Amino acid sequence: MKSLVFAPLLACALLTMPAWGQPIAIPKNPCEKPEDFPGKLASDTMVKAWNKSMENYTVCIKKFATEQKAIVDAATKAGNDAVEEYNATVNKAKETMEKSKANP
């Protein structure tokens, strides 16, 4: 009997499954990696240029990582919200079933 009550919930979940199987496009970091350190025989100009490119790379990587973390946090919240909604729905269905058993 319980399986008949939960069948509509299962059917709704199965209808959304194709979306679950879709691959998610994860962007690669767009940051331009600096060349290898020019070495101790390099001119001051070359070292300064390398330092600047390393600084730009660091800023870019930090920005990219922060953006990706925000996406992960939003996805985690959406997943948790869906689980809470599901649990509330199932609990309400269980309560309704119990009440209907008590009052035939």
Side-chain angles (χ1 to χ4, degrees):
M1 181 74 173
K2 286 185 182 181
S3 62
L4 292 177
V5 173
F6 292 111
L9 293 174
L10 180 61
C12 289
L14 290 175
L15 288 175
T16 61
M17 278 188 102
W20 295 346
Q22 298 297 321
I24 297 172
I26 311 266
K28 294 190 178 212
N29 93 64
C31 307
E32 187 176 333
K33 200 161 96 171
E35 296 180 14
D36 290 339
F37 184 73
K40 60 183 174 181
L41 298 179
S43 68
D44 285 344
T45 304
M46 290 175 70
V47 172
K48 284 180 184 177
W50 183 85
N51 283 334
K52 183 65 177 166
S53 67
M54 183 57 105
E55 182 181 316
N56 291 340
Y57 179 67
T58 301
V59 168
C60 182
I61 287 290
K62 286 180 180 180
K63 180 180 179 231
F64 178 76
T66 300
E67 290 168 352
Q68 295 306 302
K69 184 180 181 314
I71 293 168
V72 168
D73 291 346
T76 300
K77 182 180 179 331
N80 289 339
D81 290 348
V83 169
E84 287 178 19
E85 179 183 315
Y86 171 80
N87 288 339
T89 302
V90 169
N91 288 335
K92 185 176 178 182
K94 285 181 182 178
E95 288 174 14
T96 303
M97 285 173 38
E98 293 300 321
K99 285 179 184 176
S100 68
K101 285 182 186 177
N103 300 322

